Every structure is written in C-alpha cells, then in structure tokens.
Amino acid sequence: MSAKTYEVRTYGCQMNVHDSERLSGLLEGAGYVRAPEGSDGDADVVVFNTCAVRENADNKLYGNLGRLAPMKTRRPGMQIAVGGCLAQKDRETIVRRAPWVDVVFGTHNIGKLPVLLERARVQEEAQVEIAESLEAFPSTLPTRRESAYAAWVSISVGCNNTCTFCIVPALRGKEKDRRPGDILAEVEALVAEGVSEITLLGQNVNAYGSDIGDREAFSKLLRACGAVEGLERVRFTSPHPRDFTDDVIAAMAETPNVMPQLHMPMQSGSDTILKAMRRSYRQDRYLGIIDKVRAAIPHAAISTDIIVGFPGETEEDFQQTMRVVREARFAQAFTFQYSKRPGTPAAEMDGQIPKEVVQERYMRLSALQEEISWEENKKQVGRTLEVMVAEGEGRKDGATHRLSGRAPDSRLVHFTRPDEDVRPGDVVTVEISYAAPHHLLAEGPTTKVRRTRAGDAWERRNAAPAAKPAGVLLGLPTVGVPAPLPETTGGCSVQ
C-alpha cells in the first residue's frame, strides 16, 4: 500500500513559511510523503496555512476551499485542514462556511495536526482545536526544510507592540523568547548538516531579550553566531526601529558573517501618521538609525516596508514619506496600499482614504523608489562580489544560460554559467557589469568557484529519491531569506 500524500499551501509572512516547514516535518514523521509539484490539491491531505492581515484573506481562503470541495467528493478519504492566523481568528466560522473541512487548528498548536487528522478520520466529524497560548516552541517540532543550504531559525514568537494596523499580537500572542543556548544548538546542528546561511526570525526580531530580561541579548546572539565554525552568512528579519540600539549596529559591523544588509520597516515618514499607527519612533529617529548603520557599514543595503493611504493621511503626510525615501536611499522598498485588517483599530478610524487616491500615491512612491533602486544598483557596477548560488531565483536562467544567487547584501545577481559544475550553496566570485532596478548582472567569466559543504548538502538531498518540494505561494519581501519567496502583497511580519 503506497504512503498517503500531503500538500501544504502557505500564505503570509516568514513565520507562516517557517511554520509550514514544521507542518511538513510533522506530516512526514506521521508517514505522509510530499505530493509531487503541481499536484494542485490532488493529495490525500491538503493543509492551508493562512494569513489574516489582508482585508480579502478570508475570500481567498474560501475560494480555494470551494475549488477543492468537488475534488474531495470524488476522492473518498481525502482530508482538508486549515491552520494559521485566519484559523486562530475565525475558528468555527471556517467549518460553518466550508463544512467539508476536516481540521481547524491555530497558531499555538501546530504540533497537534497529525492527531487531529486521525481523530477526524476515526470520528468522521470536523475537529476544531484552537489553543489560546503557545503549547510548545515551534523549533521543538520536526522540520522539513525547504532549502539544503540555508535555513530559518526562529528566536521568538509573538509581539508586544500595539500597531493600529496589525492584528498579529491578537493572533500570535505576546512575545516569547527562546533560550539562547537552544537557538545556538539549532544553528550548530544545521551547520553540521551543511547549512551555510541562517536567518534569525522573529515577529520583532531585535526585541529579543525582553522576555528573558536582557536588553542586549540580540546583539550577543549575533556575536555568538559569528563564532559558529562553518556558518558563512547570518541575516535577521524583521527588526523594529524602536528596539534598534547601538549595540546591535556594533555587532553587525564587527561580526564578519553578519551580512551587510538590513530590512527595517518604516511604514510612514510622517510623524502624524506614525503616531496614529502607534509606532514608537518618529522620522528623525528612523533616519538617525539609517545614518548610524551606514557610518558603521558603508556598503550596507537597506530596505524597508511602507504603507500608503493609512487613514487620515494627507498629501503633506505623503510628501513626508517621499522625503524620507529620497533621503534614506533604500536599495529596495516594499510598498503596500493600506488594506483594512478586520479587528484592528485602524479599520474603524475616521478618514479612510478613497481607493483612487491611495492608488495614485502608491504609483508615485513606486516610481520614485524604482528610480532610486536603479541608481543604487548602478553603484555596484565594477564591484567584485561573492555570490552564493541559489535554487530557483532566476526564472529565465535556462534560456539565458546563466545562474543566479545572492550577494552578501542580498542583492540578486545573475551570472554567466561557468564551465565547471556549480551547485546551489556553492559560492562564485564575479564582477558586476550591468545593473537593473531589481537585479545585477555579471556578464563576464566567473573568476572563482568555491565548492562548499552547503553545495554538498544540496547534492545529497537531490540524489535522494524524494518528491521535489512544492514551495510556498505567498511570502513577505525576500530580503535575506534562506529560500526564494514570491513577491508579496502584505504580511504579518510587517513591523
């Protein structure tokens, strides 16, 4: 009898992507195997790991569930599970609107999925189980990593902020920090398996330490990662300007394997709007952090998130955002049109901006940032960079006979395929010859190829007779992520 297959569909932020790796590990530990890529619901178990931060999140979920209903009718024994933030928020509503769903679980009890599936099968009725607090830190659960050479490492869950546009604290709970020793043990274990790049992950990553009473815990953690032999690249996401202290900047500058890259959400350049958002910093504070980072790390690539059209935003407020963008010179900015998040204070605020006004401002901001991104990328022309070869980053690599990867500052680089064999996880040295707004190009010959333990790990994984990972459908900005993620339209790690 062949093993049952599963498919996990992921929506939302990096937390959800990492949770989906845990869900995959749990299911494989229970005897399921990953369905082939492109199965499109043709699996014995389909799991939706949902996001609740967009206004149309529920419409997207119920539309996808509706498309699976006739497939489930034709396939006896097929099961559908819904987890994540929308499940935490809507609970019984999901089963009422989609009675063919078998399991609903929340953000705090993902480890229960195999048990709930079996209980639903035996009892022949839907199982809804939503824990109100974290039952076990996610990193204690088995994991089916999406990448052989790069990995997420969760250092905290939850968030203590009260941003008026964000529903995350209500769904993920208050911040809970993981013990530093446990984090480093996981990092060391990953490196022993061949991983050479890790991304420290938290809803508010640089607030790490607030739960354990150490305000410098995050900078200490960065420095400790620098002492892990074989770990070549360390990144982190997403920090909050409120908690971005000088000791963190010093740790970034003084720890060689911490990459010269920072993704720090700004959300707005207007002090008035920042106050309405309940953000605990103002324009001067934000720009001051940018100046300090650039003074300590001159080649750092800095990116951000910006919300356009927050309730009450005037043209003058918007111009303040444009001013900060011009001054900060972001390598990349992920701009979002404000979307009501049900259950947040902002959704009930006066001064909701007409959609056409929001769209027009969004287009102006996007055009400005496109121009700046291109100008900043042109400064890379002529530089010699070490690029870690990636899997799936270059969609046209087959046609162009190129490979793709990430520079230390996380810029995407397409380069000429060298004569010798190169694997994802290996490192090549190239000279940048051309710049576009969203990528760099190295058209000349590769000057050096360094085969790595990470490349060996990728080769071992792909030599095994296993189904190719199906990947994820939606994620937040791919700044320093361990595996390529599609461009987002919003997510709950936006700080």
Side-chain angles (χ1 to χ4, degrees):
M1 181 178 177
S2 60
K4 291 185 176 181
T5 59
Y6 76 92
E7 175 188 350
V8 179
R9 300 187 183 186
T10 310
Y11 303 93
C13 67
Q14 295 99 327
M15 283 291 187
N16 276 22
V17 175
H18 190 38
D19 282 349
S20 287
E21 292 184 330
R22 304 293 179 192
L23 293 170
S24 295
L26 286 161
L27 290 169
E28 293 189 6
Y32 295 87
V33 298
R34 177 76 65 93
E37 187 175 4
S39 296
D40 194 24
D42 189 20
D44 295 298
V45 171
V46 179
V47 182
F48 291 88
N49 190 10
T50 64
C51 173
V53 302
R54 301 293 290 179
E55 187 176 15
N56 64 348
D58 54 348
N59 294 332
K60 180 179 291 185
L61 171 66
Y62 294 120
N64 287 325
L65 290 175
R67 284 189 285 275
L68 286 185
M71 187 177 295
K72 187 178 181 186
T73 300
R74 295 192 302 268
R75 184 170 184 161
M78 177 183 178
Q79 289 186 295
I80 300 171
V82 179
C85 291
L86 191 63
Q88 187 81 21
K89 182 172 75 76
D90 284 358
R91 307 180 183 220
E92 288 86 356
T93 304
I94 293 173
V95 175
R96 187 176 71 247
R97 292 186 59 178
W100 53 93
V101 168
D102 299 275
V103 171
V104 179
F105 62 101
T107 59
H108 299 309
N109 64 330
I110 63 175
K112 289 288 187 66
L113 177 60
V115 172
L116 293 173
L117 287 169
E118 183 60 24
R119 192 185 300 164
R121 184 178 295 112
V122 171
Q123 297 183 5
E124 296 184 344
E125 65 179 10
Q127 301 295 308
V128 179
E129 188 169 311
I130 306 292
E132 296 301 331
S133 60
L134 191 67
E135 293 186 348
F137 202 93
S139 293
T140 64
L141 302 174
T143 307
R144 203 276 188 202
R145 301 274 181 181
E146 293 296 320
S147 171
Y149 53 89
W152 307 104
V153 174
S154 182
I155 70 171
S156 64
V157 293
C159 181
N160 293 336
N161 294 315
T162 57
C163 301
T164 55
F165 57 80
C166 184
I167 199 169
V168 169
L171 302 180
R172 291 275 181 180
K174 293 292 186 180
E175 180 177 325
K176 185 172 180 59
D177 293 336
R178 194 174 171 200
R179 292 178 59 251
D182 293 341
I183 297 169
L184 290 171
E186 182 179 355
V187 170
E188 290 168 352
L190 288 166
V191 172
E193 294 171 5
V195 168
S196 62
E197 176 177 326
I198 62 106
T199 299
L200 302 176
L201 182 63
Q203 212 73 55
N204 183 8
V205 70
N206 60 323
Y208 176 75
S210 62
D211 184 46
I212 56 179
D214 185 353
R215 290 182 60 83
E216 295 189 354
F218 186 62
S219 61
K220 293 175 183 176
L221 182 60
L222 290 178
R223 293 181 186 276
C225 287
V228 177
E229 186 176 355
L231 180 58
E232 297 193 16
R233 295 185 173 190
V234 177
R235 306 186 191 276
F236 56 89
T237 193
S238 288
H240 193 294
R242 183 195 68 182
D243 302 298
F244 212 91
T245 50
D246 291 348
D247 61 297
V248 172
I249 297 173
M252 291 176 65
E254 297 165 9
T255 309
N257 65 356
V258 176
M259 293 294 96
Q261 170 247 322
L262 173 65
H263 180 75
M264 188 166 63
M266 178 180 74
Q267 306 305 4
S268 175
S270 163
D271 287 354
T272 300
I273 297 302
L274 288 171
K275 183 178 180 180
M277 288 177 167
R278 211 177 289 158
R279 303 286 282 181
S280 52
Y281 57 90
R282 298 297 178 258
Q283 181 187 116
D284 287 348
R285 159 74 173 154
Y286 187 91
L287 288 172
I289 294 171
I290 299 294
D291 290 342
K292 287 181 178 180
V293 170
R294 290 221 165 99
I297 314 167
H299 287 298
I302 301 174
S303 57
T304 194
D305 296 327
I306 301 172
I307 297 173
V308 178
F310 187 82
E313 182 187 76
T314 65
E315 177 62 24
E316 174 57 29
D317 293 323
F318 176 69
Q319 287 301 326
Q320 287 298 309
T321 295
M322 297 282 274
R323 173 186 174 274
V324 175
V325 169
R326 291 188 185 96
E327 187 168 337
R329 307 288 302 177
F330 298 115
Q332 199 170 12
F334 300 91
T335 55
F336 308 98
Q337 297 183 45
Y338 172 74
S339 172
K340 284 186 177 181
R341 283 126 165 109
T344 63
E348 306 301 324
M349 284 182 176
D350 294 333
Q352 301 287 329
I353 310 299
K355 182 172 179 57
E356 60 272 17
V357 175
V358 177
Q359 175 69 18
E360 191 272 337
R361 289 176 184 171
Y362 172 83
M363 295 302 292
R364 275 191 281 159
L365 177 59
S366 296
L368 173 62
Q369 182 56 50
E370 186 91 351
E371 177 185 334
I372 292 172
S373 294
W374 200 355
E375 290 172 356
E376 291 301 306
N377 276 0
K378 286 177 181 177
K379 296 177 182 178
Q380 306 299 309
V381 173
R383 291 190 65 194
T384 298
L385 302 176
E386 280 199 336
V387 176
M388 182 178 288
V389 183
E391 183 177 27
E393 290 271 30
R395 297 177 182 176
K396 299 180 181 178
D397 283 351
T400 58
H401 304 289
R402 294 178 181 136
L403 295 175
S404 299
R406 294 280 171 176
D409 64 8
S410 199
R411 284 183 166 95
L412 177 62
V413 180
H414 304 301
F415 59 93
T416 302
R417 185 185 294 269
D419 293 333
E420 57 189 293
D421 183 38
V422 179
R423 308 157 302 176
D426 288 339
V427 176
V428 300
T429 304
V430 299
E431 181 177 324
I432 303 304
S433 58
Y434 174 81
H438 304 292
H439 69 268
L440 303 174
L441 185 60
E443 299 167 293
T446 300
T447 58
K448 182 180 179 181
V449 173
R450 177 163 61 87
R451 292 173 69 84
T452 65
R453 292 171 60 253
D456 295 342
W458 180 89
E459 195 167 25
R460 285 194 301 272
R461 172 181 284 199
N462 284 268
K468 188 175 180 180
V472 298
L473 301 181
L474 180 66
L476 273 189
T478 61
V479 181
V481 296
L485 300 175
E487 186 174 325
T488 182
T489 56
C492 60
S493 73
V494 178
Q495 291 298 331

